[in-house]
Amino acid sequence: MSQPAAPRHFLDIWRLDAGALRAILDDAKTRKAARRGWPQGRPDKDAPAAGRTLAMIFELNSTRTRFSFDAAIRQLGGRGIISTSADMQLGRDESVEDTARILSRMVDAVMLRAADHATLEALAAAAGVPVINGLTNRSHPCQIMADLMTFEEHRGSLAGKTFAWVGDGNNVLASYIHASAKLGFKLTVACPAGYRPRSDDLARAEREGAAVVVTEDTAEAVRGAHCVVTDTWVSMGDLDHDARLAAFAPYQVDEALMDLAAPDAVFLHCLPAHRGEEVTAQVIDGPRSLVWEAAENRIHAQKSILAWCFGAVG
Ligand code: CP
Ligand code: NVA
């Protein structure tokens, strides 16, 4: 397998075409099925990343992204190197561009979790190898690929389905908006006036024909939805903790709200969760919750994202 001439970056869902996204989701399901019951560390039979190394850089905390990417590259037959940016010269004063040039001569792909989306863009612009977005303040595309894979496994095709987002118009929602336009599901958003999603994300989705509705009314957003999604009210880097808790108090996902959704509606949350804030324990730990399945699917979806970056998928 040879790497494509121009690096295949996985920076945001809106930059990819629907065919590539579909190929990644389908490959993830195939790979997951083919290794059912295997030890986590055994490589897939085709080992499409054999001989390849993935660098994983974290400016911000992580549990799922850190372990799932490391497990993913191992299952593809490759190896990972993990570092916080604070342990690198990047955390002092070396530029992200010079970091990209150096790493491109040492590894085959770079995953970055960055506080500022501009850092990710700068890394990708200067890198000669694929760069993957492991979350920024703007988006979290790997999470949404795992979420959509999970939904499809349990409820089938996304076509004609409605996802309802309740809470903060944050990075995770942004990637849902991007995916809604690409993959053709409806998205309804309930959020307080001061915490709406970015207008450029909404405008792009509208241009691409997506049906994204934004309201302040949780019942309006959730009624009839096939999937209800929320996230923390205070993301990494948010400084207005008390103001947020006050603004979001009416936006908790509880059983009464879930009861307004479709009878077989499922619940998703990227985690980490705050029971008693954005979601009740009854919902996240209840029968409609698919949060643990989605967390596991971070490995499967990211394996196929890596395989796509290496030219082995799509
Ligand atoms: N959902 C998610 O990305 O979790 P981590 O912050 O633990 O990586
Ligand atoms: N919106 C959250 C997601 C964490 C995985 C954050 O950015 O902190």
Side-chain angles (χ1 to χ4, degrees), residues 61-66 113 140 143 236 270-272 298:
N61 296 62
S62 170
T63 297
R64 279 142 289 267
T65 305
R66 178 189 174 103
R113 170 164 287 195
H140 195 5
Q143 178 69 49
M236 294 180 279
C270 65
L271 307 173
R298 292 291 303 278

Side-chain angles (χ1 to χ4, degrees), residues 18-309:
L21 297 168
R22 187 73 265 156
I24 290 168
L25 289 170
D26 290 347
D27 183 69
K29 289 183 214 163
T30 304
R31 284 187 184 282
K32 181 178 179 180
R35 60 174 298 116
R36 214 172 288 282
W38 288 15
Q40 299 286 5
R42 187 191 295 176
D44 290 0
K45 284 208 175 86
D46 63 342
R52 294 186 188 267
T53 304
L54 171 70
M56 294 161 272
I57 305 171
F58 289 89
E59 285 189 359
L60 301 165
N61 296 62
S62 170
T63 297
R64 279 142 289 267
T65 305
R66 178 189 174 103
F67 285 90
S68 60
F69 262 108
D70 202 3
I73 191 66
R74 289 170 198 230
Q75 290 187 8
L76 293 176
R79 288 167 182 250
I81 303 173
I82 297 182
S83 182
T84 65
S85 57
D87 289 326
M88 299 168 61
Q89 298 292 6
L90 183 62
R92 293 176 67 237
D93 60 359
E94 189 166 26
S95 73
V96 67
E97 289 83 3
D98 284 359
T99 303
R101 291 179 191 113
I102 299 307
L103 291 182
S104 297
R105 289 167 180 262
M106 297 180 176
V107 301
D108 300 288
V110 181
M111 190 284 303
L112 174 66
R113 170 164 287 195
D116 184 348
H117 195 79
T119 307
L120 176 81
E121 298 272 2
L123 185 82
V129 298
V131 172
I132 299 172
N133 179 353
L135 179 147
T136 71
N137 60 324
R138 286 285 307 273
S139 55
H140 195 5
C142 292
Q143 178 69 49
I144 275 48
M145 295 300 281
D147 281 14
L148 296 179
M149 174 182 173
T150 309
F151 182 87
E152 287 186 343
E153 285 178 328
H154 289 264
R155 292 292 180 268
S157 170
L158 294 168
K161 300 294 196 317
T162 301
F163 282 60
W165 176 276
V166 179
D168 190 15
N170 66 11
N171 47 359
V172 178
L173 172 59
S175 289
Y176 264 106
I177 293 170
H178 303 160
S180 161
K182 292 290 175 187
L183 294 170
F185 59 88
K186 292 182 195 147
L187 182 61
T188 58
V189 177
C191 58
Y195 298 94
R196 287 171 55 90
R198 289 174 58 107
S199 54
D200 54 352
D201 284 326
L202 290 173
R204 186 190 309 102
E206 192 177 335
R207 278 198 307 277
E208 294 182 355
V212 181
V213 173
V214 182
T215 172
E216 291 178 36
D217 183 344
T218 54
E220 183 190 335
V222 167
R223 196 167 286 119
H226 303 95
C227 183
V228 179
V229 197
T230 190
D231 186 13
T232 181
W233 291 340
V234 186
S235 283
M236 294 180 279
D238 287 336
L239 301 175
D240 51 343
H241 179 272
D242 292 349
R244 284 175 166 271
L245 258 50
F248 289 115
Y251 289 82
Q252 183 183 71
V253 178
D254 59 14
E255 290 198 300
L257 191 62
M258 286 299 296
D259 286 343
L260 298 178
D264 63 346
V266 295
F267 172 79
L268 288 172
H269 185 311
C270 65
L271 307 173
H274 307 79
R275 291 169 176 78
E277 292 184 13
E278 72 271 11
V279 63
T280 62
Q282 288 88 342
V283 170
I284 196 167
D285 299 319
R288 294 185 274 207
S289 172
L290 295 179
V291 298
W292 315 117
E293 286 84 348
E296 178 192 326
N297 280 341
R298 292 291 303 278
I299 299 179
H300 305 297
Q302 286 157 200
K303 284 168 66 181
S304 300
I305 290 167
L306 284 162
W308 176 82
C309 289

